Amino acid sequence: MNNDAFVAYVAAENKVEAKDWMPDGYRKTLIRQIAQHAHSEVVGMLPEGNWITRAPSLRRKAILLSKVQDEAGHGLYLYCAAETLGVDRDTLINELHIGKAKYSSIFNYPTISWADIGAIGWLVDGSAIVNQVSLQRTSYGPYSRAMVKICKEESFHQRQGYEIMIALCKHGNAAQKKMAQDAFNRWWWPSLMMFGPSDAHSPNSAQSMEWRIKRHSNDELRQKMVDMTVPQAEYLGLTIPDPHLKWNEERGHYDFGEIDWTEFNEVVKGNGPCNKERLNARKKAYDDGAWVREAASAYAAKKLKRAVDAA
Ligand code: BYC
């Protein structure tokens, strides 16, 4: 097969599997995107993990604990999906630790109040679902199948976040409503940045869409998120922190203000409010877990030796 035949193959909605022929660039793009996605899931445990010990009730604590565990699971499915492309996990994790691999900009913002946990579930998991529902139809089979499972869990995550916001906005006192609005103000724009640069400045989109890795452009998905979220914010009685937000009858979509791309680029470059803290926490967790990895591989080696001796 050559690239043209491959493009026609994926255009006909065929899935590509690990052992199939694929252009080198396709493999490279997938490793980059799936690894970034896996890193995002794992680094994404940190901002919320920060609130497990301070959740306001046992019920909230149990829910948050399971949600954070789910994110670890998503990271594992995704590292496995990346490994099917011939790269090993240690290499990917090392690239994260030395700052070579990216992870989502959103996880470099601090979680300073309990309402941030509501805002993350509602807006961050909400944005993730919009992106990932589309990725369920990605052309690479192992990535697509991982997405199906992940989306089921993310939709529960989004609802738990929105439910926290309902509790604060509909049943809370004035201070709790203020806390919800403050969290919304801080998470709205970074959530829209999750979709990546605008289409005109997205170097990878055109090729990724031709290969059916991406099914919708960054701007299309961002618009979807805005259209979906505005009525939800209105129901909560929250004000959207964007003076330019307005329904456009002709387009059938909300118009919204310009994202602060300078902020986005700075966060992606490593200069966001929590980039250093996040990477240090990941490296420490990896180093602290070295003995577990050693014990697991020693056990596996012993089991293998026993099987060989018995054969
Ligand atoms: N942050 O050409 P573009 C979750 C980079 S976690 C950082 O448009 P592409 C959750 C981009 O990588 C799930 N970097 O790229 C977990 C590229 O750089 P390189 C998060 C960004 O790949 C815990 C450059 O900018 N979801 O759900 O075609 C708690 C140019 O961009 C970002 C995913 O990871 C960003 N926001 O499209 C709660 C989705 N945006 O690699 C929730 C999977 C762009 O060329 N990923 N960059 O050096 C994707 O769908 C795509 O990779 C993107 C970017 C839409 C993000």
Side-chain angles (χ1 to χ4, degrees):
M1 206 188 273
N2 60 20
N3 186 57
D4 289 347
F6 182 82
V7 168
Y9 180 79
V10 292
E13 298 297 338
N14 292 303
K15 291 276 182 254
V16 180
E17 297 299 335
K19 290 190 174 154
D20 293 345
W21 183 88
M22 61 185 85
D24 285 347
Y26 177 86
R27 185 185 299 276
K28 223 172 131 198
T29 302
L30 272 174
I31 291 175
R32 175 184 65 78
Q33 178 168 327
I34 301 174
Q36 284 177 8
H37 197 159
H39 300 328
S40 302
E41 299 282 357
V42 172
V43 177
M45 295 162 75
L46 296 168
E48 290 176 288
N50 189 32
W51 276 88
I52 290 172
T53 53
R54 291 178 287 160
S57 68
L58 183 60
R59 173 176 171 265
R60 293 288 183 202
K61 192 199 274 274
I63 294 171
L64 185 57
L65 203 55
S66 337
K67 180 194 189 285
V68 172
Q69 277 179 343
D70 285 351
E71 309 299 356
H74 299 173
L76 294 182
Y77 312 152
L78 288 161
Y79 284 125
C80 288
E83 283 178 314
T84 64
L85 290 155
V87 62
D88 70 87
R89 197 175 303 197
D90 284 345
T91 305
L92 298 178
I93 290 174
N94 185 50
E95 285 176 353
L96 171 71
H97 291 172
I98 61 173
K100 194 170 159 211
K102 294 191 168 82
Y103 59 88
S104 183
S105 50
I106 193 75
F107 302 116
N108 294 304
Y109 291 86
T111 40
I112 59 185
S113 80
W114 173 250
D116 288 20
I117 301 306
I120 289 179
W122 174 31
L123 302 171
V124 177
D125 288 273
S127 297
I129 296 172
V130 169
N131 188 342
Q132 291 169 174
V133 161
S134 148
L135 286 173
Q136 288 181 126
R137 292 173 52 240
T138 191
S139 55
Y140 188 56
Y143 192 24
S144 153
R145 290 188 288 274
M147 281 304 115
V148 173
K149 195 153 192 286
I150 290 176
C151 281
K152 286 191 179 141
E153 292 174 353
E154 296 290 24
S155 87
F156 158 75
H157 295 170
Q158 195 268 356
R159 280 171 209 175
Q160 69 82 37
Y162 196 62
E163 200 241 332
I164 292 176
M165 296 308 270
I166 290 176
L168 295 171
C169 296
K170 296 277 191 195
H171 312 293
N173 59 26
Q176 287 165 323
K177 285 180 192 158
K178 193 162 169 272
M179 189 165 81
Q181 180 69 54
D182 171 64
F184 186 44
N185 293 348
R186 286 180 291 102
W187 289 94
W188 172 253
W189 289 107
S191 298
L192 299 187
M193 291 175 195
M194 281 177 77
F195 296 93
S198 64
D199 294 351
H201 296 97
S202 163
N204 300 303
S205 279
Q207 183 60 77
S208 286
M209 286 177 70
E210 187 185 42
W211 280 331
R212 298 289 202 273
I213 292 174
K214 282 167 87 160
R215 304 305 307 246
H216 296 282
S217 77
N218 298 355
D219 286 336
E220 281 168 357
L221 294 174
R222 189 170 8 248
Q223 180 73 61
K224 205 166 184 203
M225 171 65 185
V226 171
D227 292 346
M228 190 180 92
T229 311
V230 172
Q232 296 171 350
E234 282 168 355
Y235 175 76
L236 294 173
L238 293 176
T239 306
I240 292 162
D242 178 359
H244 300 289
L245 188 103
K246 198 166 170 257
W247 177 251
N248 183 324
E249 196 61 54
E250 213 173 292
R251 290 200 311 121
H253 293 291
Y254 282 94
D255 289 337
F256 54 99
E258 185 68 11
I259 285 174
D260 181 346
W261 293 114
T262 310
E263 175 181 324
F264 171 74
N265 290 326
E266 281 303 308
V267 176
V268 173
K269 267 197 279 173
N271 303 325
C274 299
N275 293 60
K276 288 183 186 65
E277 187 184 326
R278 300 289 183 243
L279 261 194
N280 286 340
R282 281 308 323 151
K283 283 191 260 187
K284 182 174 182 309
Y286 189 78
D287 292 344
D288 289 352
W291 70 272
V292 180
R293 292 190 298 279
E294 276 163 27
S297 46
Y299 177 72
K302 202 169 172 189
K303 245 181 119 180
L304 183 68
K305 186 173 178 305
R306 262 202 217 128
V308 171
D309 289 350

